[in-house]
Amino acid sequence: MEIINARAVTLTNFEVLRFLKEQKDSIKPPKGKKEKGAKHQKINKSLLTVTLETLAWLENSPAGLQEEHHVKEFAERLSDLCEESSDESGASIKMTKQEVVQLVNHRPGSAVEIQLLLENSEERFTEEQVEKLIQIVEECLPAPAKEEEEEDEEEMEEEVKDGEDLKEGET
């Protein structure tokens, strides 16, 4: 990917992650492959720090699990939803590129999150359309495993508390 005009397009976190990985690989030569007599490339340590910290943050976000085919499938299904669905006047619903990027970046899982990400969503989308949108997100964009593990841990803690409450009641 070659960036010709940095302000020409909005990138998803997945695309930024991929770009930063490429930059990191080009900055750091593989260990043990330093050639004698080769010019030492001066590395801006501040830039490297920002790059590494951004990579770490992005890898822990939904972008860390996404692959190109996930984003493409999501965009295609979202386009189909917009064409199928229509507003009260019969016109197909429209979403801006920035709204699509927001959906990919944040991977909303509830109607409240949709309302926060999409401008005037209450007026633009019906409840059924919002549910279809959430379904498309869940089917196309992979979910972080952390959320499932945290939910399992919370359920186990509640079961333990319930068990302790029962024991206290018996004594």
Side-chain angles (χ1 to χ4, degrees), residues 127-143:
E127 287 182 33
E128 182 181 298
Q129 291 168 334
V130 170
E131 290 302 318
K132 283 183 183 178
L133 182 56
I134 292 169
Q135 181 181 2
I136 291 171
V137 168
E138 290 173 352
E139 290 173 359
C140 297
L141 302 175

Side-chain angles (χ1 to χ4, degrees), residues 11-21 54-55 58:
L11 299 174
T12 64
N13 287 351
F14 164 73
E15 293 167 315
V16 172
L17 178 64
R18 185 174 58 182
F19 174 75
L20 289 177
K21 283 181 179 180
T54 305
L55 275 170
L58 286 171

Side-chain angles (χ1 to χ4, degrees), residues 42-79:
K42 187 173 182 177
I43 299 173
N44 183 339
K45 290 182 182 181
S46 298
L47 177 61
L48 185 59
T49 300
V50 170
T51 300
L52 294 176
E53 287 181 12
T54 305
L55 275 170
W57 185 84
L58 286 171
E59 287 172 346
N60 290 323
S61 74
L65 299 171
Q66 294 171 356
E67 294 180 14
E68 191 169 349
H69 68 90
H70 294 130
V71 177
K72 283 183 178 179
E73 181 183 356
F74 176 75
E76 289 170 4
R77 300 253 326 260
L78 188 60
S79 175

Side-chain angles (χ1 to χ4, degrees), residues 86-89 91 93-94 114-115 118-127 129-130:
S86 59
D87 59 13
E88 295 163 358
S89 65
I93 59 174
K94 293 183 172 64
I114 298 289
Q115 289 176 353
L118 304 180
E119 190 173 335
N120 299 324
S121 65
E122 303 88 16
E123 292 113 28
R124 293 171 51 201
F125 305 105
T126 64
E127 287 182 33
Q129 291 168 334
V130 170

